[in-house]
């Protein structure tokens, strides 16, 4: 996440801050803290412009931006089932089971349907949906929302992808768009916690795809023009392939929290580029790389799937290497050396990276491969 405010610092680590975590063996194992402090939100959490918010709404209706409400309902159903007293629900949501579990097949089918990913095995996932295992009163009150969540389907034409890559914290989105143009057979799912970043990338996509709406006299007429979905009835394969960024999906929110919603062995790679390093020792629980985060990454990555990390903060680079090394000792990850050429995953020098270079910092790259079963 290329945040506007780098933890109230210049983006790197002071000598004292580097000394605080120089002994990487003493890093405390802790969980990722999604809730950020008020000062961080105040510095970096500005709202998107009105035009950007409208674009987010338009692109959500078209299927290129993921609905936050749908994902919230999805989370509510899963959490309620997880904490349900029903033994069948608890068993069905157990993460200790393999990929053949009914819940995981349903979860995979739901994500494929929501992201417009064609999978010939989805037909076999017509098992009893997870919502049938949720019987408590809290979910009964939200039955309509749950049903809307369960029936969620992207208006885009489903297509096959060779790979699925998640970029966590894409900033302005230039890197994910460059990768999408370079590799049209890979689906790029991008998450960004800052609304202006999501608005900026969606505005660029809308303009280059020729979907930008011109002003009209009638609000009703504008709404009709905007909500026409891209479906198999009004698009053929040649037309879909001619439109750029058909392999990009945007999620506005915390990408680390998104990990727990994805099915097992769903992703081929995860990119984390220039996240906020939170250089102060007391702020380490807000760093995106934590032991529980790596456990989720191991769960959702295919065997030999890779995690790419770029940073210009030495304290964060050391912290990341130490956390991964601990997981590597358990047989979960191994480092890929030398790190793959950045042109294959980080072709763009962003504004924040260039700013760091101008201030005397250098970019450090890491790549870790998922191993084990």
């Amino acid at each position: 996440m290329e945040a506007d405010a780098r933890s109230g610092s210049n983006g790197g680590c002071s000598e004292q801050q580097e000394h605080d975590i120089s002994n990487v063996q003493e890093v405390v194992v802790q969980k990722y803290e999604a809730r950020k402090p008020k000062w961080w939100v105040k510095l970096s959490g500005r709202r998107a412009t009105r035009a950007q918010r409208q674009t987010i709404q338009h692109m959500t209706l078209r299927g290129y931006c993921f609905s936050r409400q749908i994902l919230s309902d999805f989370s509510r159903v899963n959490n309620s089932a997880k904490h349900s007293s029903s033994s069948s629900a608890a068993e069905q949501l157990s993460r200790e089971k393999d990929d053949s579990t009914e819940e995981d097949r349903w979860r995979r089918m739901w994500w494929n349907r929501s992201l417009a990913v064609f999978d010939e095995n989805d037909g076999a996932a017509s098992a009893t949906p997870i919502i049938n295992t949720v019987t408590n009163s809290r979910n009964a009150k939200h039955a309509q929302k749950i049903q809307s969540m369960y029936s969620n389907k992207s208006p885009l034409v489903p297509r096959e992808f060779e790979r699925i890559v998640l970029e966590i914290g894409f900033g302005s989105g230039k890197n994910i768009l460059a990768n999408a143009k370079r590799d049209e057979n890979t689906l790029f799912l991008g998450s960004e916690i800052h609304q202006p970043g999501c608005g900026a990338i969606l505005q660029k996509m809308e303009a280059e795809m020729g979907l930008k709406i011109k002003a009209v006299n009638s609000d009703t007429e504008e709404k009709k023009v905007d909500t026409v979905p891209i479906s198999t009835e009004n698009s053929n394969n040649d037309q879909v392939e001619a439109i750029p960024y058909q392999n990009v999906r945007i999620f506005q929110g915390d990408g680390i929290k998104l990990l727990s919603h994805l099915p097992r062995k769903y992703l081929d790679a995860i990119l984390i580029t220039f996240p906020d390093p939170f250089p102060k020792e007391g702020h380490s629980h807000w760093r995106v790389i934590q032991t529980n985060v790596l456990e989720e990454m191991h769960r959702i990555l295919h065997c030999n799937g890779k995690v790419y990390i770029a940073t210009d903060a030495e304290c964060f680079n050391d912290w990341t290497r130490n956390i991964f090394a601990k997981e590597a000792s358990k047989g979960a990850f191994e480092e890929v050396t030398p790190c793959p050429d950045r042109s294959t995953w980080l072709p763009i020098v962003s504004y924040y990276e260039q700013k760091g270079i101008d201030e005397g910092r250098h970019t450090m790259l890491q790549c870790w491969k998922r191993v084990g079963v």
Side-chain angles (χ1 to χ4, degrees):
M1 174 184 58
E2 297 177 344
D4 291 337
R6 305 271 294 203
S7 300
S9 71
N10 62 0
C13 301
S14 66
E15 292 182 2
Q16 178 61 38
Q17 291 160 352
E18 289 177 1
H19 176 72
D20 289 340
I21 61 172
S22 60
N23 186 355
V24 294
Q25 300 299 327
E26 298 180 359
V27 175
V28 179
V29 176
Q30 55 196 358
K31 291 186 177 181
Y32 170 71
E33 178 60 56
R35 182 182 292 275
K36 300 298 188 293
K38 291 182 179 180
W39 58 263
W40 186 91
V41 175
K42 184 177 180 180
L43 287 171
S44 61
R46 72 179 189 274
R47 193 182 185 192
T49 64
R50 179 180 179 183
Q52 288 176 332
R53 296 196 302 271
Q54 289 177 339
T55 299
I56 292 174
Q57 181 181 8
H58 297 160
M59 296 298 276
T60 299
L61 292 174
R62 295 176 178 128
Y64 297 101
C65 184
F66 211 79
S67 170
R68 299 184 70 180
Q69 182 60 52
I70 289 294
L71 193 62
S72 175
D73 295 337
F74 181 87
S75 177
R76 180 185 294 113
V77 171
N78 279 275
N79 290 336
S80 297
K82 184 176 181 180
H83 298 292
S84 172
S85 59
S86 169
S87 60
S88 60
E91 292 175 1
Q92 197 172 13
L93 281 166
S94 175
R95 291 184 179 177
E96 298 301 321
K97 293 191 175 183
D98 57 29
D99 293 39
S100 62
T101 59
E102 182 175 296
E103 186 272 336
D104 199 76
R105 290 199 305 270
W106 176 85
R107 188 192 294 254
R108 185 177 300 272
M109 180 188 69
W110 187 86
W111 275 100
N112 286 343
R113 204 168 53 183
S114 299
L115 297 175
V117 175
F118 176 79
D119 188 342
E120 59 183 9
N121 296 320
D122 281 351
S126 57
T128 304
I130 191 175
I131 56 174
N132 289 348
T133 69
V134 183
T135 57
N136 61 53
S137 59
R138 182 175 181 274
N139 274 283
K141 295 179 180 180
H142 300 279
Q144 186 175 0
K145 285 187 176 181
I146 294 172
Q147 184 59 37
S148 174
M149 178 278 299
Y150 173 66
S151 60
N152 184 58
K153 183 178 181 181
S154 172
L156 296 170
V157 181
R159 53 167 292 195
E160 291 187 69
F161 293 97
E162 295 178 356
R163 302 168 67 243
I164 301 179
V165 174
L166 169 65
E167 181 169 346
I168 298 176
F170 55 73
S172 63
K174 292 181 179 180
N175 188 67
I176 191 174
L177 294 184
N179 281 328
K181 282 187 174 181
R182 177 181 57 83
D183 187 358
E184 296 182 352
N185 293 319
T186 295
L187 175 65
F188 290 92
L189 176 61
S191 67
E192 174 57 52
I193 197 170
H194 297 289
Q195 193 179 50
C198 292
I201 187 175
L202 291 171
Q203 282 183 322
K204 182 175 177 61
M205 288 174 59
E206 186 181 48
E208 292 194 26
M209 297 168 73
L211 298 175
K212 191 170 183 179
I213 300 172
K214 296 181 179 180
V216 292
N217 295 329
S218 171
D219 293 339
T220 305
E221 183 181 351
E222 181 178 357
K223 185 176 180 180
K224 286 182 179 179
V225 173
D226 183 54
T227 56
V228 175
I230 299 176
S231 66
T232 53
E233 296 179 358
N234 55 21
S235 300
N236 56 48
N237 291 335
D238 293 336
Q239 290 175 325
V240 171
E241 293 177 357
I243 302 176
Y245 306 132
Q246 291 297 299
N247 58 338
V248 177
R249 308 288 185 269
I250 300 302
F251 166 68
Q252 181 191 336
D254 191 336
I256 301 299
K257 295 171 68 175
L258 180 66
L259 299 178
S260 63
H261 298 310
L262 297 170
R264 293 176 182 268
K265 299 181 179 179
Y266 194 67
L267 301 178
D268 294 275
I270 299 174
L271 278 60
I272 302 178
T273 57
F274 301 95
D276 194 317
F278 287 102
K280 295 183 179 179
E281 185 179 13
H283 297 168
S284 61
H285 54 289
W286 287 312
R287 294 172 185 155
V288 296
I289 299 297
Q290 305 288 348
T291 300
N292 67 316
V293 174
L294 266 58
E295 290 173 354
E296 286 292 345
M297 289 181 176
H298 188 272
R299 182 184 66 84
I300 64 177
L301 280 170
H302 287 293
C303 187
N304 295 324
K306 295 181 175 63
V307 180
Y308 299 88
I309 300 169
T311 182
D312 60 6
E314 291 187 12
C315 55
F316 182 82
N317 187 66
D318 292 341
W319 170 273
T320 298
R321 189 174 298 281
N322 181 56
I323 298 293
F324 267 102
K326 289 183 177 180
E327 292 301 304
S329 67
K330 303 175 185 177
F333 289 93
E334 65 180 34
E335 188 171 8
V336 178
T337 53
C339 183
D341 190 280
R342 65 173 290 167
S343 63
T344 62
W345 60 279
L346 187 62
I348 299 297
V349 176
S350 69
Y351 167 79
Y352 294 99
E353 181 179 5
Q354 186 60 53
K355 180 180 178 181
I357 294 173
D358 295 340
E359 294 175 356
R361 299 191 296 273
H362 66 281
T363 299
M364 293 160 281
L365 309 177
Q366 293 185 43
C367 180
W368 295 82
K369 179 174 67 174
R370 180 207 189 274
V371 294
V373 295

